[in-house]
Amino acid sequence: MSVAVVEDPLPGKISVWRARWVLMRYGRPPEPPPAGVAATGQLLALVTEVAARVGVAAPDAVLLTGHGAIRSWASRRRRLLFVGLPLLYCLTVDEVRALVAHELAVVDHRRAHLVARLRDLYEEAADPSRVELPPRVAAVLRATREFASALERKADQAASSASGLHTAARAVVKADLAEFEFADLAFDLEEQVWQHAAAAIQDVHDGWRAAIRAGAVIASVDDDTRTALMSRHPNLAGAIAPLTAAHVALRAADLVPVDPLPAADERALARHVLRRSPAEWTTFAAVPPSAWPGWVVRQARAVHDQVATLLGRQAVGPAEVVEVLLTRLDELVAANWPAQPEPPVEPEELDATPSVVVVMEAALTSRGWRRIHPATPGVLVSETGIECNLHELAVSSAALPDLLALLAAPPV
């Protein structure tokens, strides 16, 4: 008499044979692991400690990547954990623990390679930016939704076990915001350097670290982001709902120590985020200070033009532009985007820096002020050593008088 052997189902009680059928019909062939740099020191120790704390298998290797995300990967023989260097510069130790536990739980399965591929397939189909749902995508969602929900609940539980519910909730929100903010800053910096020197910026991650330390990265969670993250992390949704900008600020405090990177590793991680394949490399220190102001001046000129559209004339200097931005924003938007059903809440500029900061930085730069680091938009220092964070100043209760006083001060 023979006994049938029934394989354990994957999360969501999807059987192994069903998972294989879904992947054969809708998936792509397995891809090799992303490129990475071997992690060392305290980061490696933290991953080992987290695995033991939540009772999951430690990965076969931990690799640093240049992107702002922590992600697991699995094949039939290996489980890898990729840790984004940008997150190590702006998330606390406990927040990193939560994200590590979350990803280790994803591949904590005997058929980890199937789990990882199914998750990728689901996430591609569930892309929130998709405006239409083709029949193939709808079929993928039907086949994988229950699996994805069960997997995410398991991973959320591991994140909570590692660092606590509220820390885990902050971690997933801050990681999402940091990934976007880093990509935005890196794009601007890389574009400016390329225009100046036809070379790629090697120490772009050091620039991100400088921006975080200076308070030049202002992140806030909007309703769409909050809703998407609550849907993606059902076990953390209740703790995500009340989070405010103060809870998700990206700050350089209580970080996981990172060993200094050799130049070759810096270039390898920078290459992950580049949109081109450079033959030449440079550093922030090698780019002359005179190369930077032009970018923000062009941004400010666009805002001046928007104000001129409202006024029907050119503004009388940056002071009037700032006054319009702070007191007549609704009129400004209506004058420049009359046909849009949902006009932007800020006048358009080339990056995510608020328009007030752009105009102020351009004006002060012409008077001798400079960024404290090329990667710190809106955080300036005068020739006499006075530092000013325009982001903080622009949202203060006395924003307009303070900003106008700064513009009226004698040139340094």
Side-chain angles (χ1 to χ4, degrees), residues 156 165 169 226-227 229-242:
D156 288 347
L165 173 64
R226 187 192 313 277
T227 300
L229 290 173
M230 290 172 65
S231 175
R232 191 187 312 168
H233 299 279
N235 276 25
L236 306 178
I240 291 173

Side-chain angles (χ1 to χ4, degrees), residues 163-389:
S163 298
L165 173 64
H166 296 286
T167 300
R170 286 199 313 273
V172 298
V173 175
K174 289 175 68 174
D176 186 84
L177 298 175
E179 182 176 15
F180 173 83
E181 295 292 343
F182 168 73
D184 191 62
L185 182 67
F187 172 78
D188 277 353
L189 295 174
E190 200 265 338
E191 189 69 20
Q192 292 172 75
V193 172
W194 186 267
Q195 289 179 7
H196 172 75
I201 190 73
Q202 172 177 313
D203 49 350
V204 64
H205 291 94
D206 278 343
W208 167 253
R209 177 167 55 181
I212 291 294
R213 288 175 171 172
V217 181
I218 308 300
S220 61
V221 55
D222 58 39
D223 289 341
D224 289 343
T225 299
R226 187 192 313 277
T227 300
L229 290 173
M230 290 172 65
S231 175
R232 191 187 312 168
H233 299 279
N235 276 25
L236 306 178
I240 291 173
L243 293 179
T244 65
H247 295 117
V248 298
L250 305 176
R251 293 289 182 264
D254 188 26
L255 306 178
V256 178
V258 179
D259 295 335
L261 295 173
D265 288 348
E266 270 193 341
R267 287 192 292 270
L269 295 180
R271 196 181 295 276
H272 294 171
V273 300
L274 298 183
R275 290 167 171 80
R276 50 175 64 92
S277 299
E280 302 292 334
W281 293 89
T282 189
T283 63
F284 286 114
V287 178
S290 59
W292 297 101
W295 186 263
V296 73
V297 168
R298 289 194 295 274
Q299 290 178 294
R301 189 177 302 126
V303 182
H304 277 254
D305 291 343
Q306 292 158 5
V307 171
T309 299
L310 169 64
L311 299 177
R313 58 172 173 80
Q314 291 298 318
V316 184
E320 187 174 19
V321 174
V322 169
E323 185 171 3
V324 167
L325 288 169
L326 290 176
T327 63
R328 303 176 64 185
L329 183 59
D330 290 344
E331 296 174 64
L332 179 63
V333 170
N336 283 274
W337 296 274
Q340 290 194 22
E342 295 184 7
V345 295
E346 267 285 337
E348 290 182 335
E349 1 79 19
L350 299 182
D351 64 12
T353 307
S355 298
V356 170
V357 174
V358 168
V359 172
M360 288 293 302
E361 180 173 345
L364 293 178
T365 297
S366 69
R367 300 159 68 91
W369 292 69
R370 292 290 180 267
R371 292 181 179 181
I372 64 172
H373 185 282
T376 60
V379 183
L380 311 179
V381 60
S382 72
E383 290 181 344
T384 57
I386 301 171
E387 291 191 12
C388 178
N389 187 323

